[in-house]
Amino acid sequence: MSTNGLIGRAVKRVEDKRFITGHGNYTDDIVLPHQTYAAFVRSQYAHARILNIDTSAAKEMPGVIAIFTGADLAAVNGVPCGWQVNFKNGDTMKEPKHPLLVADKARHAGDAIAVVIAETKEQATDAAEAVKVEMEELPCVVDAAKAVQAGAPLVHDDVPNNKSFDWVLGNPIEEVNEAMDKAAHVTTLDFVNQRLVPNAIEPRSYNSSYDPVSEKYTLYTSSQNPHLIRLLMCAFVLGIPEHKVRVVSPDVGGGFGSKIFHYTEEALLTWCSKKIGRPVKWTSERSESFLLDAHGRDHVTKAEMGFDANGKIVALRVKTYANLGAYLSTFSSCVPTYLHGTLLQGLYTTPKINVDVTAVFTNTTPVDAYRGAGRPEATYLLERLIDLAAHEMDMDPAELRFRNFIPPFDGVQQPGYQTQVALQYDSGNYEGVLKKGLEMVNYADVRREQQEAAHNGKLVGIGFSTYIEACGIAPSAIVGSLGCRAGLFESAQVRVQPTGKVSVYTGSHSHGQGHETTFAQIVADKLGINLDDVEIVHGDSEAVAFGMGTYGSRSLAVGGSAIMKSIDKIIEKGKKIAAHKLEASADDIEFKSGNFTVKGTDKSIGFGEVALTAYVPHVYPKDLEPGLDFASFYDPANFTYPFGCHIAVVEVDKETGKVSLKRFIAVDDVGNVINPMIVEGQIHGGVVQGIGQALFEGAEYDDNGQLTNASYMDYCMPRADDFPMFETASQVTPCPHNPLGVKGAGEAGTIGSAPAIVNAVIDALWSGGHKVKDIRMPLTPERVWHAMVDA
Amino acid sequence: MQLAGKYVLHAAPPKVWAALMNPDTLAHIVPGISRLEKTGDHTFNSILDIKLGPVSGSFTGNLQLDDLQEPNAFTLKAQQNSKIGNANAAVKINLSPIGDSDTEIAFDGDVKISGMLASLGQRVMGGVSNTLTKQFFSNLEKELAKTSAS
């Protein structure tokens, strides 16, 4: 229990001092002795055979140290995929080599053909331009549904129909078909969940070096999980001994998923650093980021939801084509499957569900996890369907949800809820968040205003999204049985220094989440010490024993729980030390507010004195080791399942189709909250990213596989003045299976928000008599106007 | 990208045809051209300097006049390479007489672009191509006026 009240308090972020004063230390800031710089020769074409590479002129350019092409790397492995998904017939998914440099053909615009290393970045760039590459352009395919058709160009010559795998989950299709046939009403939606560019503010950057004396490599990488990069690079790509490799991720300026993955450049620069015997650095240009950072989403889906005469959902049938791009990125295969299909129960008691996914290669940038990863796709599918069904059946969308919600359960008195799609929810009170949301928005008033607006020729709409996500990724045994090739536990070491100050070494990595504050709050609270007396160390494989990194809203639920395990060990040992000093039995010692006290007496010693005694063990229990330093590994028992209700109120301009967001209400239940300010910040950021998908963002490829909006002049990012003040609230349903009772808040905003916006726009259009089923995201004025005019 | 349009010139088709088939004239009137070198009966090597919104580059490559039906029609094929991207175009050009002394030139074709040209320049491609085509025809008009004056 809380001893000094730091848990639950909106403590200001300790890391912000260095960030807002310009003292952050990012990979590109690091310049090593004898530094060299890399630049890449990349394919202009989406699909083209390499006929000849002439580096002779480039090699003579000033400052050039080395040029490597695919031929030099023929014996080096490609970067691996971390999750195996099997075909329906049991065959292993197709995972063609993702080479560090392509030797035979380029498979997407931006594919790397050669790397040039020079004394300066400018020299490297100039020389890269002087490399002459002769290519034969080949027909290409960019659309997932077209890629599987007979006669489509093959991205990989040995992958028939461009299919990486097909996959099915849920109840047998016959049962779902039967239930669907009996349904009183079936709502059908064909839609696209468009492709997004992740746009971390800090471009990817790597600086790799090799020391021939110690035979050790050091890789600085702008990554969300340095230990995972070390494991993948050493064991799967370069075959170098892991204990000879140090991987450091210093300050990282945002990831949103895109910096989870092991990118080819990380391994290539490391390989090059040994070849040339000097450190090699590369920082992505923004135009390279657009073309190369793994994109998100890109699903083409047909979904059907069947209802009985009372509006109860009786069946859900889903067919999705997931575009994986040209190669399998690290976690690409699990996103449209185990992070998407498994969430299609939503918050509803749907008894029969079948989801069928075909994952496809195309001549586009690889697609992988992007904030929410699979769960925004699942939420969009369900929440669009249920809102549309309400329109079609002339029912209230809130009422339709109430009829279908899984009843409240706490996971302690009542068991977890077993879904039809593999997962078991931990705890939930789904009607609670919708009730709260309806109160906050003053639902009856908004509906009245909507009617008045319609009378006055204006289009006002209200849209709902009641979402659930699987976070706290992940229980190793469960993900292992689903194909994950790694354990997804977390490690933490809590080292109490002799003076009672505490260093915490966590395998989670902070790149905007505020771990240095939140984790310190937990430790200071539990040990009854000051926040300033706790230092959170992360991002260095040499300092932190092991780590699985930060993604899937896992840092607090998994990383925080590992810290809790170490704290428990420290308190237990502290009690033994205190008991010895106080001449009492350890069982009689209680620890509270930083003091070890003999129960029922005023005999007490402080945490600092116990710490000092542990390191100066002059008066010390005979059977106890000195020191106060514990490492722990925490493997969660289950995923955590945050949920919530997002409500959008919009006005649509009849003449132009422009959508104005009037209000946005977010009620999120992320379990217990350590720092409400940081949670609210995460919700705000997530909501903006989700609304960015709904209204503004989308990667657009032309038929030749060229990304046509690869700059901020053409790719529309959400901005502060696009939004009203968000109205947020939280409900707390603790997670029953981790020591902090936390569920995770990093992705909630992105997962919940997009369908609320689109539903609100559709609702506005229906209020004006335009019975529109779907508008493709992003809802640009042009698309909304066309939807109105064409309906 | 589609490239299509019409333009009326104050000269009869045979005269317009002659101007278009004359490398010296072309070297004068093609916007951004810094070099045009005849390599065959109807093929040329060229260097073009073009700015497309945020990107600019020097394009080297070849031009070819194909399917010649004097003085009514021909196809212009171009394969141009640059550091900012490659362009590959095939444009059908028709000359039809209007009265005795005017010609309507209609062009219709497709330009394929790649690299930065596609990812950064695509948004302004339409506008820039319009400007360049207008420039080309107004240069051609001036050139035709010169030859009729002399």
Side-chain angles (χ1 to χ4, degrees), chain A residues 651-730:
Chain A
E651 188 175 331
V652 177
D653 188 315
K654 269 184 145 169
E655 308 298 327
T656 64
K658 183 172 165 49
V659 175
S660 305
L661 180 56
K662 295 296 175 193
R663 293 178 68 193
F664 196 87
I665 286 95
V667 184
D668 297 284
D669 191 328
V670 297
N672 289 335
V673 171
I674 307 297
N675 185 322
M677 180 195 72
I678 289 180
V679 167
E680 198 181 359
Q682 285 288 328
I683 299 292
H684 279 216
V687 164
V688 164
Q689 237 163 345
I691 299 177
Q693 172 169 21
L695 294 179
F696 308 112
E697 298 183 47
E700 297 290 341
Y701 279 92
D702 69 13
D703 291 342
N704 302 320
Q706 299 291 337
L707 182 59
T708 60
N709 55 347
S711 81
Y712 291 132
M713 289 177 292
D714 302 293
Y715 188 94
C716 185
M717 294 287 284
R719 297 166 18 145
D721 64 358
D722 294 317
F723 301 98
M725 295 301 284
F726 297 139
E727 301 163 61
T728 60
S730 63

Side-chain angles (χ1 to χ4, degrees), chain A residues 100-111:
Chain A
L100 308 189
L101 293 172
V102 291
D104 55 344
K105 63 174 185 175
R107 293 174 183 84
H108 68 90
D111 223 348

Side-chain angles (χ1 to χ4, degrees), chain A residues 43-45 128-131 137 287 291 702 704 706-711 713-714, chain B residues 54 79 81-86 88 111-116 118-120 122-123:
Chain A
S43 174
Q44 290 188 4
Y45 300 112
E129 288 194 353
V131 173
E137 194 176 359
S287 50
L291 277 180
D702 69 13
N704 302 320
Q706 299 291 337
L707 182 59
T708 60
N709 55 347
S711 81
M713 289 177 292
D714 302 293
Chain B
Q79 169 66 52
N81 300 330
S82 80
K83 291 302 165 204
I84 58 165
N86 300 343
N88 201 339
V111 186
K112 264 173 86 173
I113 53 175
S114 65
M116 273 217 281
S119 57
L120 296 175
Q122 190 122 315
R123 179 173 49 99

Side-chain angles (χ1 to χ4, degrees), chain A residues 435-465:
Chain A
K435 278 181 188 156
K436 194 157 188 170
L438 291 173
E439 278 168 29
M440 285 170 70
V441 78
N442 295 316
Y443 189 44
D445 291 352
V446 176
R447 283 293 181 205
R448 204 163 35 245
E449 284 160 25
Q450 180 182 35
Q451 283 181 359
E452 283 166 19
H455 274 297
N456 299 326
K458 286 190 168 174
L459 301 176
V460 169
I462 180 165
F464 295 90
S465 165

